[in-house]
Amino acid sequence: MGESIGGPRDHLANERTQLAWLRTGANVMVVGLAVARFGDGGEVTTPSLLAGGLLVVVGALGVGYGTLRYRRTAAELRVGTAAAASSSAGPAIAAGVLVVAVAVAVLVLLLGA
């Protein structure tokens, strides 16, 4: 029949979500490293370091946020207080931060800071 909140499926779903945050954050950091190295015509310049550094920091913040979210949800699942549908405000804000960071990185590269 139906499974209560806090069952194995919920813990596995929480873990998959954490892995998605880790993958996304790691990918943003890798792009940041590539931008720092190759973002300005293949040369390492101040603008490419600034743009790449911004993306590395945002990627690391995403990994940190995902980890905190995972741990909070895991604790709630253990005691049975997790809501069936978690708030989407955090992920929406994270997506907005990522979009703004990419736009700023592109502007830094284009304008040469």
Side-chain angles (χ1 to χ4, degrees):
M1 303 270 213
E3 185 178 334
S4 65
I5 294 176
R9 291 180 125 195
D10 294 313
H11 286 283
L12 291 172
N14 187 36
E15 192 170 307
R16 284 189 303 273
T17 302
Q18 164 64 1
L19 292 172
W21 279 101
L22 288 174
R23 270 192 317 272
T24 302
N27 285 332
V28 171
M29 288 189 282
V30 167
V31 168
L33 292 172
V35 166
R37 175 62 184 99
F38 303 111
D40 207 5
E43 289 185 35
V44 176
T45 63
T46 301
S48 70
L49 286 175
L50 288 173
L54 174 65
L55 293 175
V56 169
V57 168
V58 168
L61 289 173
V63 169
Y65 172 76
T67 300
L68 290 175
R69 184 177 166 97
Y70 167 77
R71 293 182 70 173
R72 183 181 66 239
T73 302
E76 290 173 354
L77 288 171
R78 276 193 294 278
V79 297
T81 60
S86 171
S87 169
S88 63
I93 291 169
V97 168
L98 179 58
V99 168
V100 169
V102 169
V104 169
V106 168
L107 284 174
V108 166
L109 288 173
L110 291 177
L111 300 178

